[in-house]
Structure formats: structure tokens, C-alpha cells
Amino acid sequence: MKNRFAHHFAVAALTGLSLGSAAFAAQNVIKVDDLHPGVVINKENMMSADLAIWNPPSRYYDMTSALVDGGYTLFRFPNGSLSNDYHWNGIGKYDSTGLWTADENKWARGFLGETIYRGTTKDNYGFVRRSHLADGNMETMWWGEILDPVDPPWVVVEFPEKVDVDSLQIDWGTLRPKAFEIAYWTEDYAEYPGVHQALENKLKLEKVVKVNGATTKYKSKFRTRYVAIRFKTTDLPSKGVQIREMKLYSGETDLLGGNNYKFYAMSTRNGDKARTDWTDIKWDFEEFMKYIKTLPNAKAVICVNAGTGTSKEAAAWVRYANKVKGYNIKQWQIGNELDGEWEESGPISARHYAARFLEYARAMKAVDSTIVLHGPLFSTHKMTQKGAGILDGKYWMEEFLRIVGEAEKKDGKRYLDVVDLHNYPYWTPNEPKPADMLKAMLDVGPNMDTLNVWMKRHLEGERRIFLSEFSTCVQGFSLLMDYPQASAVASIFAQHAMRFGNRLQVLPWDAFGNVFKGPDDTWGTISMTALVKEGSWNHWKSLEPTAEYYGIYMTYMDFLENGYAVLPVKSTSADIEAYAIGKGDSARVMIVNLSETPQVVQIDRASVSATGGATEVGKGDLVRTQVEIFGEDQFKWVGTSQNAYPYPKMGPSGRRINPSKSKDITVPPFGLAVVQINPQVTSGEAAAEPKVLAAALEKKVLLAGDTLDLFGTVVQENGQLIGSVLSIPELGISKVITPDDGKWNASIESFHVKVPFPANVKLGSATAVLKISGLGKKSSVFKIPFRIRGAYRTTSVMQNFDNGLDAVDWFPVANGDNATTIGAKVFNGAPPHGGFIRHDFMIEQPPTQGWPNFAGAYYVIPEEVHNSVGIVFDYATNHSNPDGYFEVQIASEQVKDYDEFMVRLKNTRGSWVRDTLIWENMTQEGWGKTIPQLDPKQIKNFSWRARYSGTGYISLDNIYLLQEDGTEVPMPRGLRRLR
């Protein structure tokens, strides 16, 4: 892409013409029909953020600026999927069937549960559980309940390929049927979402089998990938059916004896037990409420547990929050994505969810009739993909709306106030491509039109729409961290706003999420924030903005405007997707470039064309026009590993064009542009104060001779920035900043400035001071701390392993009550390297532990560490598991919640490498309370650890301490050779 840009601009330079000249007339025209306005935009309480329980409180305090500056006023708790596992109040009791009853007046920190009636196989973000239908344990069971007589529970077994089935055995619980059906799918493959939610019934009945006792056996002979066990309501007890164990045989082999299959159990009864692998969740309900009170105009959105919880528990939460505490929380969601098999107790059918929703709605509104209820939190934008769950040809979402609508008419009450759904349009099993991703976003709009038709058909009166989760996809590609992600999420947001902008709420997923590895072996996540690059400084403290944040920011803050109406728009090019709103003689257009080449566009408004075009400045198109651009020149993700980072890392770049000379607008490849035609501009005393939206230093600690590397994005709402100066008082430096487009003339500007330091620069702490000026003689000052240090040197040997194992002060930590072990052996050698130590390990993964197990060698540290600035060490590693990895953990007295300072090491596959750790550059793993900087005086110990099941070793040598002064003690030159 860089080569294409270079060539494009080189041609312009050689011809002596700018891109805006007549020689570069626009190749695309965006036709905006501002004579036929539609839905009028209302931005009140439109922006929402998920403040999930998996993050520590400090994470949200660090992102406060991001949330406030981005216009976020609604905050969701406790999470998405974990909402169906979470009990909001730790004071209460379980009944004999696993239903938790919470106290209505007293409160203690909530906790997570897991279903005790698991039918569906669970494998979701490290949380792996076998189905109780075939776990080899007669003490566990699946319990399918009946909430609608038309919709009895049933089970599907899915194999990766066709199998021969010749017999079946089922061990029943107390609730057993009179008879059941065994059936199999006649096609080779059932498209997603699978047999359990297929629209067309392609099951063939094998046999209706009578049940005469606690165990039923049946001989059969068929070949299939999908086996179904179905029931008729008339054959079931009123409380449903229970299966303790199920076996499918092919000859002597039990096909359900391993893990090479998946169960889908429809209509699982609620009820759970407390999880023991994830406890003491500090981001609880009261901590959440305490935090959002610090934010302007903040309101809570609570998602109640409709997976393993009860309507009574949900009603108790309403009573506690609104009657006991007086929080007056209005917005309540009932469950999360229960159409999905990844949810606890999911998947459930449309009828089952509708029955559960109505039960919850009646109970919750009986406590507080003023609350606003959301449902069904449908997992997809694809309205016609998922069947209702009983193979009757009906669509899941429409069936839910129909049942609720009929109940509302019958009872004369409104139960469903907000239709709530999620969007993740892009799915690929292979290497993702930005063009494919952006085109996949365009599937959203037509599906929302279908939803709109269904709502009008089944519901009386208009309902609000909450897009309570959306992003491109939920896979971990590095593409999701790059600039095309901004264009993609902006497209999703805009398509909803064009249809429901008068009643829309949106929640981009997620406020913060750690990166993880995707199918293409690259690392990424869907998140508005990311952990800062090691050794850098950011305005958002432990976090920095992602491309997704900027895409959402441009859409909400700079494209959408209260009182503007949605305008029909057409593009003459398939490479351009555009959205438009307008009011009077003002308009805003958002443009997404779907292609890998720059696109030059012009905007033609029908009102201007109808009057023959404008010839007078200040009328028609000859008005103030601001363009914001976001592409790879503003933000680029560098690398594909877990330690990748953005460079450059600016937000949108604003500039003004002169329509009397050229209306051409260049949108970068896969980039995003927002055009404001005749925008509101406030000057004089009423002008807003300029402010910093984003600022980042690539290195917060520099050497003499280094270059200060600063990125920034600044704004003056409804104004115009006119300049900025960077000064460093301690060094006598002052520098005028030039924005990346060369001119200060827009309400948002981005810049990248470098300040080189001489070799004899003054050492010590310093401050970069930004003074930003805007209209109305308004200015603001922003300060950025940094430090210039002397050169590091190795000043002492902590351990070189030259004196045998008895001279090494270490101890093993093998986590889990299992076969996990780690040992040590010193191998003697000749100078210059001498001996080294090897820690051989074997790691076993506990089956109920949701994070990768570890074995570590923990080293007792000498006192000299407390006066050091870091360490240098040699290491060689090997791990039998391709997913296995290594890390150095620096334990500190500063950390109270186990979120220690950590650095991940390479799997060197036996080769020796040398690494350096600087204490002030180190960061924590990221799930606990944020400590601004590691203090060496509070270091407790070092540990070198291996993660994930498998075997291997960690070899260490030449551990030296670093300081900025003192006599150098040289390390051995070169690296140890392989033995």
C-alpha cells in the first residue's frame, strides 16, 4: 500500500498539480438526496460501554478519559456471556435443585456459577466442560425442562464426520419419559448453526422407543453425522426429563467415550453451583455503581442472569438497586445470547426464551413498573439464519417477537421495551482480508430492514433498538487491531443509525480485552483500548486507543448530530460506501473506502443541483467544508505477535478543502472519512476549550542522544484549532508543531513530532508541555512526563551457575494438585560461560481450570537487586506444546492481587538468546489493579515459568544486575553454543 501511495503522490508532484486540481477530477460521485429527509437523529444516551467483571477496578479508572471524551453515558454490567453465570448478591442460599435465592435487602460481593445440568458441550474462551450426558459420571445429569408444551426439550449429537451407529443406551434420572424418538440427519452436512436450529427438518425417524425402566437399550443400524433424541410433551413428566448417561455404539466402540463430538441440548433447566476456579471478583455491583457515579450523566444497564438464575433473583436485584439503594436503574437486560450454545444453559429455543423472558418481565416490573426491559440479546445480525429451535421453519427472532407481542396484547401491558441484539458480521477460517471484512459489514443493513418489518408486524408501537454488542468478529486476528477495523465498525454503527437513529443505543465490543491468538496464528482482539506498549507513556495511563475506538469516535462525535435527518445516498462506485445526514444547508457524509487503493470522491447534494449549482461563496457547495481522514498514515498496527503495537498512533486527521477550487476528497485505502459541509462553528467567548483526545510517547525513558517521539490528537468542539507549541522547560527547548496535513484549520488535528537530544543533554526528569490554541483565543496546556537517563551497565553477577546446584537459591512452584513438576540440574562448563542450569518441567492441565497451568523456578534475590535498574540474562527454552510459552515474573510487594509484573519469553527451541529487563519499563499481566511502575526496592523474587500442558525445559545462565552508574562488570561475550 505504501508503494501505491508513493506512486500516486509522485505523479502529482511531477505534473506540478495537487490532488485537488482539475487534472485529478473525482472518479466517484456520492449523490446525497437532501430533499427527502428521513429519521431524525437523537444522540441522547446512544453510547454504551461494557464494564465487564473480568477487569480490575483500576482498569476502568484508567480509561475514564476515553469514555468521557467518546461521549459514553450508558454502562453495562456485569458482562456479556458471564451475565448468565453471575449471581449479583453473595448473600443467599441454594435450594435442593441448585436455584440460588438472593437476599433482597442485604448485599455482599457476587460470584460466578456453572450449571449443574450441563447438556451442551462447553468450550468458550478457555472454559471447557464435558456434557453431563456422556461424562462417565452417574452422579451428574442433564435436565431438560418444559416451558412451552409445543417445545419439549431434545438433544443432538454432532460428529466431525459420518459414523455407523448400531446401538444406543440411555440411563435415566428420576424424571424419565414413557417413550422417545431416535432420529438421524439425512444430509452429509448441516450448515451453521446446525441441526438444533435448522430451518428445514431433515431428520429421519429411526424408531420410537418405549421406556420401561432406569436404563433403555436399543439396537439400530444407520450412518450419519448427527443423531437426535427427541421427546413428545405428552410422554414426559411435567417437570421435564433427566438423562444421567448416554452411550452410542459402533460395534464395541462407544462413540461418546472420547471428545470427538459435540452435544447440543435444548431447553436445559436453570440451576448451578459456585465456581471454584474464579472467585473473589473485585469488580462487583457496588464497585461498578461507585465508579459510574464519577462519570458525567452516567447510567447503568444491568444484564440479569437468565441462564442459571431465576426471575426471583432478577426481581430481587431490581428491588435492592431501586428500592433499597435508590439507584433508580432503568435499563435491564434479560439474559445474554441464550440462542447460543456457548452460553451457560444454552442454547434455548425462541419459545423457551420467550417464556423465560415473560416470566422475568412480569416479576421485575412488579417490583418497579418504570424499568425498561431488553430482550432477547440475539447473538447475530443474520435474521434468517437461525431457526426457532424446533425445526418448524420459523425464524428465532421473529418467533420471539411474535410470542411477546401476543402476550402484550393479551395482558394489555408492554413487556419488551428495547429490542436488543448483537452484530459480528465477519467470519473466516483462514487468513482474514480487509476487503472481505469491509464487504461483510454491508450485510448488516438489509438484515436490519428485515428486523424492522418483523417489529412492525408483531409489536404495537415503536421500540428502541440496542446494539448491545458489535464489532467485526470475535476471532483474534491482528487485522482487528489495524486501521481497517475503524472503517468496519463505523460502517456497522452507521447502518443502524440510518434506520434507527431516533431510538438507537450502541455498545462497541469491548471497552478492554486482552489480545489472543486467532486461526491464522496472529494476535488481536476486538477492543477500544489496548495495553500500552512496554516502555511507552500514554494519556490513558495503562491503556492506549485502538483503531476501533477512533472509528466509533468519528461516527458518534463527528458524523452523527442531534436534529439532523438521515438522507438517501448513492455512490457511483462499488468501492465506496457512504452514509449521509443533514439539516437545512448543512450536511455530514461518512465515507468508507472498501478497496485497497485511494479513492477520490465528490459529494453532490440534490438541493444544490436543483438550483443549478452555487456561484456565490457562502451558498450551496461553496461553504466551509471540513474533512476528517483515518487510514494507515494516521494509525498502523506493527507486527502480528502478542507484543505488536501501533505506529503511527494518531487519531483522525482534520483538514479543510476549498470547494471553489476543487470538491475532490481522497479517502485512503480501506480508510474512513467524515465530511462536514457547512458545520456549526463557535467562536468568541462561547468557543470550547481545546483538549487532548490522545497523546503518546514511544519511550518514557530515553538515553542521551535519543529522540523524543510524540504522537497527539487534539480537538476543539465546534471550533477550529489554530496552532500548538511543544516546549521542554528543563532543556530550554521550544518547537512549533505542524499537524500531519500541514495546516491548523480544522476542529480535530493529529500530529507526530520528534525532538532529537544531543549526546550531552542534561540527564534527569523532564516535562514536555503542549500548548494548544483554538478559536476565541482559547488555549489549554497539557504536560507529559519523561526521563533522560545515563547508559545502563552490568555491575554485578546475581548468578552464573559456576558453583554447582547447592549455590543456587531457588525453589520450585508446580501449580495444581496433579503431576505437574519442575526440577533443576546444573551442567558444568569451561570459561567464558562456565556452568548453566536447566529446569526440566512437566505440566498437567487441571480439567476445570480455565487458564493455562504453570510450573516455575522461583529465585531468591540478593539485596543488590533493590538498587538495580534491571537484569540481563541468557536463556534457552523448549516446550512440547505448540501453544506453550514462557515468562519471567517479577513479584513485588506493590501487588496485592497476584497480577505481577510479567514479560513473555520466546520458545527458542534450544537456542540460547540474551534478554534485558528494565524495571521501570515492565508491565503487569493486566487483570488486576494497575501499579504505575515497578519499584525495585519492593521486588520479592524472580521466577522463570512455563505455561500450558506439556514437557520441556528452561535453561538459564549469566544473570547480571544493571545500574546507571558504578563500575562495569562485563558479561561473557557471545552466546553459549548448542550442546
Side-chain angles (χ1 to χ4, degrees):
M1 280 183 240
K2 282 290 185 183
N3 288 337
R4 276 190 284 270
F5 265 110
H7 173 73
H8 194 55
F9 284 104
V11 173
L14 287 171
T15 58
L17 298 170
S18 72
L19 285 174
S21 71
F24 285 86
Q27 60 203 50
N28 310 308
V29 177
I30 297 171
K31 298 180 179 181
V32 177
D33 183 1
D34 55 350
L35 299 177
H36 296 90
V39 170
V40 177
I41 301 297
N42 180 356
K43 292 172 63 176
E44 183 179 3
N45 292 325
M46 184 179 284
M47 293 304 300
S48 310
D50 181 71
L51 305 186
I53 57 174
W54 61 52
N55 288 316
S58 61
R59 180 75 71 242
Y60 298 120
Y61 283 94
D62 282 0
M63 72 171 64
T64 295
S65 293
L67 298 172
V68 173
D69 293 343
Y72 294 83
T73 58
L74 296 175
F75 300 96
R76 186 184 184 200
F77 180 87
N79 181 236
S81 293
L82 288 179
S83 299
N84 291 324
D85 311 29
Y86 188 71
H87 295 292
W88 66 275
N89 190 353
I91 299 177
K93 61 181 180 179
Y94 279 109
D95 71 8
S96 61
T97 66
L99 299 181
W100 176 256
T101 299
D103 194 287
E104 297 178 353
N105 300 302
K106 294 180 292 183
W107 175 87
R109 180 172 288 163
F111 65 95
L112 289 171
E114 60 175 295
T115 176
I116 56 175
Y117 304 118
R118 188 175 307 283
T120 301
T121 309
K122 185 72 172 273
D123 186 356
N124 191 42
Y125 292 106
F127 185 55
V128 180
R129 297 289 189 271
R130 287 181 68 99
S131 167
H132 290 173
L133 288 160
D135 62 356
N137 185 354
M138 289 291 287
E139 300 300 315
T140 64
M141 67 180 175
W142 170 65
W143 184 349
E145 70 172 340
I146 305 169
L147 290 183
D148 186 321
V150 180
D151 183 15
W154 61 298
V155 174
V156 175
V157 189
E158 178 183 310
F159 295 98
E161 57 188 17
K162 283 188 171 184
V163 294
D164 293 309
V165 179
D166 52 37
S167 63
L168 162 75
Q169 178 179 315
I170 297 179
D171 294 301
W172 305 100
T174 304
L175 302 177
R176 66 185 68 148
K178 298 174 185 176
F180 67 93
E181 297 177 359
I182 179 170
Y184 60 93
W185 198 252
T186 57
E187 300 284 323
D188 291 343
Y189 175 67
E191 292 186 357
Y192 181 85
V195 171
H196 65 289
Q197 288 173 333
L199 287 163
E200 185 179 352
N201 186 357
K202 296 182 180 179
L203 285 173
K204 182 177 181 180
L205 177 64
E206 163 69 13
K207 182 72 175 179
V208 176
V209 182
K210 294 190 179 300
V211 176
N212 298 312
T215 300
T216 300
K217 297 181 179 180
Y218 170 72
K219 289 190 175 294
S220 60
K221 193 166 184 64
F222 55 86
R223 182 174 175 79
T224 187
R225 277 191 64 185
Y226 310 90
V227 179
I229 304 297
R230 307 185 74 190
F231 307 94
K232 292 182 179 179
T233 302
T234 54
D235 289 332
L236 292 176
S238 61
K239 292 185 178 181
V241 62
Q242 297 169 340
I243 298 178
R244 293 201 174 274
E245 202 69 15
M246 178 173 161
K247 298 179 186 294
L248 284 174
Y249 287 99
S250 180
E252 298 297 319
T253 302
D254 179 8
L255 299 171
L256 306 181
N259 294 304
N260 201 25
Y261 60 89
K262 183 166 184 173
F263 271 109
Y264 299 86
M266 301 295 285
S267 302
T268 297
R269 185 187 185 271
N270 49 356
D272 68 351
K273 63 181 180 181
R275 283 178 64 172
T276 57
D277 61 334
W278 190 352
T279 59
D280 193 28
I281 298 171
K282 292 180 171 55
W283 185 248
D284 55 45
F285 175 58
E286 291 292 3
E287 190 69 32
F288 164 77
M289 292 304 299
K290 174 185 172 184
Y291 173 69
I292 69 170
K293 286 179 182 179
T294 69
L295 305 176
N297 306 312
K299 298 176 178 64
V301 180
I302 302 297
C303 187
V304 302
N305 182 343
T308 60
T310 65
S311 59
K312 184 177 180 180
E313 180 184 24
W317 200 347
V318 176
R319 181 175 291 104
Y320 174 80
N322 291 356
K323 304 299 183 182
V324 176
K325 299 293 289 188
Y327 291 144
N328 196 29
I329 298 172
K330 295 300 181 186
Q331 300 203 43
W332 298 79
Q333 299 171 312
I334 298 179
N336 180 81
E337 294 184 355
L338 280 164
D339 60 289
E341 71 273 7
W342 50 88
E343 299 293 325
E344 282 296 90
S345 298
I348 61 179
S349 67
R351 282 177 170 269
H352 190 132
Y353 177 79
R356 192 171 288 184
F357 174 87
L358 291 168
E359 177 190 338
Y360 274 64
R362 291 173 177 129
M364 295 166 72
K365 289 204 171 192
V367 176
D368 185 347
S369 61
T370 68
I371 62 175
V372 173
L373 294 182
H374 299 231
L377 286 82
F378 194 45
S379 67
T380 177
H381 72 289
K382 291 182 177 293
M383 293 294 111
T384 58
Q385 183 184 64
K386 283 196 171 186
I390 55 175
L391 302 176
D392 60 354
K394 296 178 180 178
Y395 301 116
W396 202 104
M397 175 64 97
E398 186 180 17
E399 188 69 350
F400 163 74
L401 295 174
R402 180 190 67 78
I403 294 169
V404 172
E406 289 177 358
E408 290 183 341
K409 292 174 187 176
K410 180 181 178 181
D411 295 351
K413 297 179 180 179
R414 176 173 285 197
Y415 297 120
L416 177 65
D417 301 292
V418 182
V419 176
D420 200 317
L421 72 156
H422 300 163
N423 279 196
Y424 299 102
Y426 184 52
W427 293 87
T428 177
N430 303 308
E431 181 183 355
K433 295 179 172 58
D436 294 342
M437 182 173 77
L438 289 172
K439 288 175 183 176
M441 302 305 108
L442 304 184
D443 189 46
V444 168
N447 278 279
M448 292 308 98
D449 293 335
T450 300
L451 174 62
N452 207 16
V453 169
W454 290 349
M455 289 190 295
K456 291 176 180 178
R457 179 182 299 166
H458 299 296
L459 303 175
E460 291 185 352
E462 200 168 66
R463 312 296 166 104
R464 290 188 66 81
I465 300 294
F466 191 10
L467 184 58
S468 65
E469 289 183 25
F470 79 97
S471 189
T472 47
C473 73
V474 296
Q475 297 164 289
F477 302 120
S478 62
L479 172 62
L480 307 181
M481 310 303 292
D482 215 347
Y483 64 94
Q485 177 76 358
S487 302
V489 294
S491 176
I492 299 173
F493 189 170
Q495 289 177 74
H496 285 82
M498 297 302 96
R499 290 159 174 84
F500 310 118
N502 61 332
R503 51 193 167 118
L504 180 65
Q505 299 170 200
V506 299
L507 190 155
W509 197 262
D510 195 3
F512 170 78
N514 281 311
V515 295
F516 58 98
K517 189 162 66 172
D520 64 343
D521 288 331
T522 67
W523 291 74
T525 190
I526 44 176
S527 176
M528 296 188 295
T529 62
L531 292 175
V532 294
K533 177 186 174 185
E534 183 180 323
S536 67
W537 175 94
N538 200 279
H539 177 34
W540 294 359
K541 300 177 182 176
S542 65
L543 304 170
E544 63 182 347
T546 62
E548 179 169 307
Y549 179 85
Y550 289 126
I552 300 299
Y553 183 92
M554 291 176 70
T555 309
Y556 179 71
M557 298 298 291
D558 299 330
F559 170 55
L560 296 176
E561 185 57 60
N562 277 323
Y564 279 50
V566 173
L567 304 175
V569 62
K570 291 183 179 179
S571 171
T572 59
S573 169
D575 290 329
I576 290 293
E577 187 70 15
Y579 312 93
I581 59 175
K583 182 180 181 181
D585 59 357
S586 296
R588 296 188 178 188
V589 181
M590 191 168 80
I591 308 166
V592 178
N593 183 354
L594 306 176
S595 75
E596 63 179 356
T597 57
Q599 297 291 323
V600 182
V601 303
Q602 284 190 359
I603 297 170
D604 287 352
R605 291 185 289 163
S607 62
V608 177
S609 300
T611 58
T615 58
E616 184 180 344
V617 174
K619 295 184 178 180
D621 283 337
L622 304 184
V623 294
R624 183 185 185 98
T625 303
Q626 175 174 304
V627 180
E628 293 175 28
I629 297 295
F630 189 79
E632 65 178 337
D633 287 342
Q634 286 71 45
F635 190 99
K636 179 66 182 159
W637 196 252
V638 180
T640 61
S641 72
Q642 188 179 20
N643 297 320
Y645 56 89
Y647 193 96
K649 52 178 66 178
M650 296 179 287
S653 171
R655 68 281 314 273
R656 283 170 53 195
I657 64 173
N658 186 345
S660 64
K661 294 183 178 180
S662 174
K663 293 167 57 181
D664 287 0
I665 299 162
T666 302
V667 187
F670 304 127
L672 181 65
V674 171
V675 183
Q676 298 181 355
I677 301 171
N678 199 23
Q680 174 187 348
V681 178
T682 304
S683 58
E685 285 298 316
E689 295 286 339
K691 64 180 180 181
V692 172
L693 176 63
L697 277 181
E698 275 303 282
K699 293 168 66 177
K700 62 184 178 182
V701 180
L702 299 97
L703 278 168
D706 278 355
T707 296
L708 185 81
D709 196 354
L710 171 65
F711 292 98
T713 299
V714 293
V715 297
Q716 186 183 35
E717 186 177 0
N718 295 326
Q720 177 184 313
L721 296 158
I722 60 176
S724 181
V725 175
L726 170 67
S727 61
I728 305 175
E730 297 87 350
L731 304 180
I733 292 174
S734 182
K735 181 181 180 69
V736 174
I737 295 176
T738 301
D740 72 326
D741 70 315
K743 294 182 180 179
W744 291 95
N745 60 6
S747 63
I748 186 167
E749 299 279 5
S750 289
F751 58 83
H752 181 199
V753 59
K754 292 185 175 184
V755 180
F757 296 140
N760 62 348
V761 68
K762 179 183 176 182
L763 303 183
S765 297
T767 305
V769 181
L770 283 174
K771 183 178 180 182
I772 311 150
S773 302
L775 290 182
K777 298 182 179 179
K778 297 295 178 71
S779 63
S780 60
V781 173
F782 187 81
K783 297 181 179 181
I784 302 171
F786 66 97
R787 187 170 74 87
I788 304 174
R789 64 167 177 83
Y792 296 142
R793 65 204 71 180
T794 52
T795 57
S796 62
V797 181
M798 176 178 151
Q799 182 59 256
N800 59 13
F801 307 102
D802 287 346
N803 298 305
L805 188 59
D806 290 342
V808 182
D809 196 356
W810 83 286
F811 58 94
V813 175
N815 188 62
D817 186 15
N818 55 28
T820 300
T821 58
I822 187 166
K825 181 178 180 180
V826 168
F827 293 82
N828 296 321
H833 289 281
F836 71 94
I837 195 169
R838 190 172 82 186
H839 297 286
D840 292 292
F841 63 83
M842 196 284 279
I843 301 174
E844 181 181 330
Q845 182 70 25
T848 60
Q849 184 172 292
W851 43 270
N853 202 22
F854 72 89
Y858 285 63
Y859 280 70
V860 178
I861 60 171
E863 182 59 31
E864 291 85 352
V865 167
H866 296 139
N867 297 314
S868 67
V869 297
I871 58 171
V872 182
F873 61 97
D874 297 340
Y875 72 94
T877 57
N878 197 33
H879 203 305
S880 63
N881 188 333
D883 292 325
Y885 61 90
F886 302 89
E887 61 196 14
V888 182
Q889 182 190 81
I890 309 299
S892 169
E893 297 286 358
Q894 299 165 275
V895 176
K896 307 300 182 184
D897 56 8
Y898 305 105
D899 187 15
E900 301 289 359
F901 289 85
M902 194 91 68
V903 170
R904 187 169 291 196
L905 302 177
K906 300 175 182 177
N907 182 355
T908 70
R909 294 174 175 80
S911 297
W912 284 89
V913 298
R914 180 164 291 174
D915 211 342
T916 302
L917 302 184
I918 305 300
W919 305 140
E920 63 185 336
N921 288 341
M922 290 194 66
T923 57
Q924 295 160 273
E925 195 166 10
W927 47 265
K929 180 180 180 181
T930 303
I931 308 299
Q933 187 168 300
L934 175 61
D935 179 0
K937 295 191 180 300
Q938 298 194 59
I939 292 175
K940 296 188 295 185
N941 60 61
F942 304 160
S943 60
W944 280 263
R945 312 199 311 178
R947 305 294 294 265
Y948 269 99
S949 60
T951 59
Y953 60 81
I954 304 169
S955 294
L956 299 171
D957 196 8
N958 300 324
I959 304 175
Y960 280 60
L961 301 181
L962 288 168
Q963 289 184 317
E964 290 184 23
D965 51 25
T967 303
E968 182 177 6
V969 177
M971 292 186 72
R973 292 185 178 183
L975 292 170
R976 183 181 297 278
R977 293 181 180 274
L978 294 176
R979 287 178 177 269

